[in-house]
Amino acid sequence: MQLWPRRHRDWTQVTPISDLEEGGAYVVVGQVEQSQLIRRPGKKPYLRVRLRDQSGTLVLMFFHVGWLAKRLESGQRLMANGPVERFGGTLVMPHPEIQLVEAGEEPYAGLMPVYPTTEALSQRFIGDLIKRELPLLLAEVQDPLPTSLRRRFDLEDRAWALWHQHFPDDFRQLQRSRRRLVFDEFLAISLTVHWLSGQQHTGCQEKPNGPLAQKFLRNLPFELTSGQEKAWDEISQDLAQSRAMSRLLQGDVGTGKTVMAVLSLLAAVDAGHQAAFMAPTELLAEQHYQILARYLEPLGVRTGLFLAPSKDRQRLRQALADHQLNVAVGTQALLSDDIVFEDLGVVVIDEQHRFGVRQRAKLADKAKRPDMLVMTATPIPRTMALTVFGDLEISRIEGFPPGRQPIATIHLPYRERRRAYAEVLSAVKQNARAYVVCAVVHENRDLDLYGAVELAQGMESVPGWRVGLIHGQLASEDKTRVMNAFRQGAINVLVATSIIEVGMDVPEATVMVIENAERFGIAQLHQLRGRIGRGNQSSTCFLLSDVESKEGQARLQALVDHQSGLDLAEIDLGLRGPGEMLGLRQHGSSAFRLADPFGDLTILEEARQAAREVFFKDPRLTLAKHDRLKQWMLAQLTESVSQPMMN
């Protein structure tokens, strides 16, 4: 792991003490005239040092004394850097950063790196170690970027950038070195995404306006919104070309992405191909299967559901291999080696943020070159989309179906918890339905967490509502039974975990209560909230939490203030940082060490452009001029996933 300076302290501009002004930050050089340890009853002592140069004197104050009391004796020459304040008519520099200047030495007058330290490692030790060892390492560095690429994007040599990020002579060199290293970070991710996606430029040619799609549109009980029409125009243009489609469809909760998915699947069937639809959970896959079967079976399109191994698996596998099935719906079970398509033309992946790049690529490998549509209701900020989905074109469904009401979101402390459940009771008395969401299956008293099981049991003893329970530990048939009962109204309050986060579409649900809301992220809360407000009735979401941290309060307030998923995604990115963006591991530190996806957007776009051009000309990086680039990219990828990658 590389260790970068957290910042650089500017020692370049020395100011005479007589020119100092209150409120400014300065660098001064002088000689210790007096050093006095001040002791105070009941308080830690502090060190008061009077520093003199040829123009005057300045008082330095140190509140963490340690070794300073012994070193800062009369006659010691030193350089001090810090803000100047005025106390009782005297100019004081409280606890400045200092350099001790030994006899015969000149003070350092450049940009000094400041590293993260521990008690065992001082700034001086780390700086001296890097200055001594780094040249030995840089002697072995071969720049992975071709000279033509560096010239085009005005980039310094990588070895030069590595040295000057630690030890620049001035701020221009620091900026130039950072630009090169930030470009490399963005480029590594962009190249990796292209490499893992296996992007090629020829594939299946579908029929987006074929007879099945036309009949489906005629049978819809509603008109497509203008946002859906625009997104479908972009998708259908890709499907009609011989070049394989790679498109990301973003649409906020409830904007109608499923219709876009059905049209894409039918485009493949109309062209004589098969199609696949992959969802992240069994519950969501089952719901998609039921919806697709309702739409597709009247059209004569044969659909099969692939989950974990089951008694029907062998029959479904054979039907798929013989092209007796047109559309396969499932979870990651579709990635199994024994699932073989006779002629896969279109792949649709729902809730893309739940899958990694590798999983996307593995499903695509089941065909020569399928058209790929990946969908998400978790809006992705532009910076993230440009990076993680650098191999994809991006479409958005703007707007909501007519009549859709905004969802009132209210954050309540637990002392007002009764208010939320009174609203639930009022709603179900008016034949509406409600969700109650818990962060855990079973309560945890040590952490004050309400559990879905115990809460459902407690609610069942109170008359006025019919309570159901659903969570991930239930058997598939039990989940299906409970969900059907909720849809049909036999259950009017569903107590659940976050398993209902995606795919639930019950228009009669108008109230949601989220217990321990601080345990969920912004995106997850927005997804959960999207389970209500799907009809034309006003809806309310209660966030119950006694969270005290500023970040936790900011997350919940964001949900109160914003309805837009994209606005919330930007806020979330600002609060949490970019995280592990490649989707190659579930947890881990940020994918970036120097880059800032907000502030470095221009560099990000340049790196993305460079990656796309490289892969357009040389899809497998076989040209001699790309040999170093390929090896460097694979090394970065290996580091990211902590295991070797196959070519």
Side-chain angles (χ1 to χ4, degrees):
M1 178 178 176
Q2 295 163 322
L3 178 68
W4 298 117
R6 295 167 59 181
R7 57 190 172 88
H8 284 76
R9 175 68 77 173
D10 185 5
W11 297 86
T12 58
Q13 195 71 34
V14 177
T15 302
I17 290 176
S18 61
D19 292 344
L20 303 183
E21 296 181 2
E22 179 184 0
Y26 301 94
V27 177
V28 296
V29 179
Q31 196 168 44
V32 175
E33 189 174 75
Q34 183 186 52
S35 178
Q36 183 179 10
L37 187 63
I38 309 297
R39 302 184 184 277
R40 300 170 291 174
K43 297 182 180 180
K44 291 183 178 181
Y46 70 91
L47 187 66
R48 187 177 189 276
V49 175
R50 189 164 68 241
L51 187 72
R52 173 178 291 280
D53 69 3
Q54 294 180 347
S55 68
T57 60
L58 173 69
V59 173
L60 312 180
M61 296 177 65
F62 299 92
F63 300 98
H64 303 287
V65 179
W67 58 274
L68 289 174
K70 297 180 180 179
R71 293 298 305 272
L72 298 187
E73 298 177 345
S74 179
Q76 172 67 56
R77 193 163 180 238
L78 64 84
M79 198 174 193
N81 189 330
V84 172
E85 303 175 11
R86 187 177 294 277
F87 291 103
T90 302
L91 285 180
V92 175
M93 186 178 284
H95 207 75
E97 295 191 24
I98 64 171
Q99 292 184 55
L100 302 182
V101 183
E102 304 299 337
E105 290 184 354
E106 288 297 321
Y108 179 83
L111 298 179
M112 180 174 288
V114 178
Y115 298 97
T117 60
T118 65
E119 291 184 4
L121 298 175
S122 67
Q123 285 290 338
R124 180 181 292 272
F125 176 83
I126 295 174
D128 289 347
L129 177 65
I130 292 176
K131 185 170 284 189
R132 182 176 67 250
E133 300 296 333
L134 186 56
L136 303 178
L137 299 175
L138 295 182
E140 304 297 324
V141 171
Q142 294 182 316
D143 200 316
L145 302 191
T147 303
S148 58
L149 197 64
R150 296 205 308 271
R151 287 175 179 169
R152 180 175 176 197
F153 291 99
D154 189 27
L155 300 169
E156 300 288 355
D157 176 79
R158 181 168 173 81
W160 184 95
L162 290 168
W163 174 260
H164 287 89
Q165 188 58 30
H166 291 275
F167 307 111
D169 296 332
D170 51 43
F171 281 106
R172 181 184 177 278
Q173 289 186 350
L174 183 62
Q175 292 168 354
R176 293 287 296 171
S177 66
R178 184 181 180 279
R179 170 177 160 75
R180 167 59 201 268
L181 297 173
V182 167
F183 185 95
D184 285 356
E185 288 190 356
F186 286 138
L187 183 66
I189 290 180
S190 296
L191 290 172
T192 299
V193 170
H194 280 279
W195 180 263
L196 289 179
S197 71
Q199 180 174 334
Q200 298 289 334
H201 300 278
T202 58
C204 299
Q205 192 168 6
E206 317 299 349
K207 291 184 177 179
N209 296 306
L212 290 174
Q214 291 296 322
K215 188 174 182 180
F216 167 72
L217 288 172
R218 287 196 301 270
N219 291 340
L220 281 177
F222 52 83
E223 297 289 330
L224 296 185
T225 65
S226 59
Q228 288 174 315
E229 288 180 343
K230 181 177 183 296
W232 177 237
D233 284 344
E234 295 171 349
I235 295 168
S236 60
Q237 288 178 25
D238 283 358
L239 291 170
Q241 297 178 7
S242 58
R243 180 180 181 273
M245 177 177 74
S246 293
R247 185 166 289 275
L248 168 68
L249 176 63
Q250 294 190 75
D252 215 336
V253 176
T255 53
K257 296 181 300 300
T258 302
V259 173
M260 302 295 100
V262 173
L263 286 169
S264 301
L265 300 173
L266 290 175
V269 179
D270 265 326
H273 304 138
Q274 293 171 295
F277 193 120
M278 188 166 76
T281 66
E282 288 192 356
L283 182 64
L284 183 54
E286 288 178 356
Q287 292 179 69
H288 279 312
Y289 173 71
Q290 292 175 6
I291 293 171
L292 291 175
R294 186 167 71 244
Y295 284 140
L296 301 183
E297 287 181 0
L299 303 176
V301 177
R302 300 176 302 277
T303 307
L305 178 62
F306 292 79
L307 301 176
S310 66
K311 59 183 180 181
D312 292 333
R313 185 181 180 89
Q314 180 59 35
R315 178 183 60 81
L316 289 172
R317 281 180 51 235
Q318 192 61 50
L320 192 66
D322 294 341
H323 206 148
Q324 295 174 8
L325 284 181
N326 304 112
V327 177
V329 184
T331 60
Q332 294 186 61
L334 291 174
L335 303 178
S336 300
D337 292 336
D338 64 336
I339 302 298
V340 178
F341 292 82
E342 194 272 333
D343 184 14
L344 180 60
V346 168
V347 172
V348 178
I349 300 179
D350 195 21
E351 294 306 319
Q352 162 61 32
H353 68 286
R354 300 287 193 91
F355 297 105
V357 178
R358 277 179 159 180
Q359 292 163 311
R360 196 170 90 212
K362 187 170 183 179
L363 186 54
D365 284 343
K366 291 182 177 290
K368 292 181 179 179
R369 194 58 53 197
D371 291 297
M372 178 84 67
L373 178 67
V374 296
M375 309 192 306
T376 181
T378 301
I380 302 168
R382 183 169 177 239
T383 51
M384 296 280 280
L386 286 174
T387 306
V388 180
F389 304 107
D391 59 324
L392 304 180
E393 300 299 325
I394 300 173
S395 294
R396 278 188 57 82
I397 301 179
E398 303 286 355
F400 291 87
R404 186 65 57 87
Q405 303 274 342
I407 301 169
T409 304
I410 301 171
H411 173 206
L412 293 180
Y414 269 98
R415 66 177 180 273
E416 299 182 38
R417 187 169 181 247
R418 287 182 178 270
R419 175 183 166 188
Y421 283 93
E423 190 75 18
V424 171
L425 187 58
S426 174
V428 299
K429 285 182 177 179
Q430 300 175 48
N431 295 320
R433 266 154 252 169
Y435 295 98
V436 176
V437 182
C438 296
V440 293
V441 175
H442 294 283
E443 71 177 18
N444 186 321
R445 295 185 179 181
D446 292 337
L447 298 177
D448 290 327
L449 296 181
Y450 286 90
V453 171
E454 291 79 11
L455 189 58
Q457 291 172 348
M459 293 182 69
E460 285 173 347
S461 65
V462 178
W465 43 39
R466 300 181 298 277
V467 179
L469 172 67
I470 189 170
H471 54 77
Q473 297 176 12
L474 293 178
S476 295
E477 55 270 21
D478 291 332
K479 296 175 191 172
T480 301
R481 176 181 52 78
V482 172
M483 281 311 309
N484 288 337
F486 185 62
R487 286 195 186 90
Q488 295 162 9
I491 291 170
N492 55 22
V493 178
L494 183 61
V495 180
T497 58
S498 60
I499 191 173
I500 65 161
E501 178 184 345
V502 291
M504 298 293 297
D505 188 6
V506 181
E508 296 82 4
T510 62
V511 178
M512 174 173 284
V513 178
I514 302 179
E515 298 277 359
N516 300 113
E518 77 282 356
R519 306 288 293 191
F520 301 93
I522 287 179
Q524 196 171 29
L525 287 171
H526 181 59
Q527 287 274 27
L528 288 167
R529 179 174 65 178
R531 299 311 100 204
I532 60 175
R534 304 180 78 85
N536 55 12
Q537 302 296 315
S538 60
S539 299
T540 305
C541 177
F542 292 97
L543 307 176
L544 301 183
S545 175
D546 286 332
V547 63
E548 296 180 356
S549 70
K550 289 184 179 180
E551 182 179 334
Q553 292 175 352
R555 285 206 310 271
L556 299 187
Q557 191 61 40
L559 270 294
V560 173
D561 294 340
H562 297 276
Q563 294 283 323
S564 165
L566 188 59
D567 290 344
L568 290 170
E570 294 285 2
I571 293 170
D572 196 21
L573 184 60
L575 289 173
R576 296 192 299 118
E580 179 54 61
M581 295 172 59
L582 276 180
L584 295 173
R585 60 181 176 217
Q586 285 294 102
H587 304 285
S589 60
S590 167
F592 301 132
R593 294 179 180 137
L594 286 176
D596 172 9
F598 291 110
D600 297 321
L601 182 58
T602 299
I603 305 176
L604 168 57
E605 290 176 326
E606 290 178 344
R608 180 176 181 256
Q609 179 185 354
R612 297 187 73 167
E613 290 180 0
V614 165
F615 273 90
F616 183 82
K617 296 175 182 177
D618 187 12
R620 301 309 295 170
L621 301 183
T622 56
L623 297 179
K625 67 176 182 178
H626 291 150
D627 185 58
R628 289 180 185 172
L629 184 65
K630 178 180 178 181
Q631 298 307 317
W632 174 73
M633 178 203 69
L634 292 176
Q636 302 297 308
L637 180 56
T638 300
E639 180 181 346
S640 175
V641 300
S642 301
Q643 64 180 18
M645 284 300 302
M646 299 299 293
N647 286 5

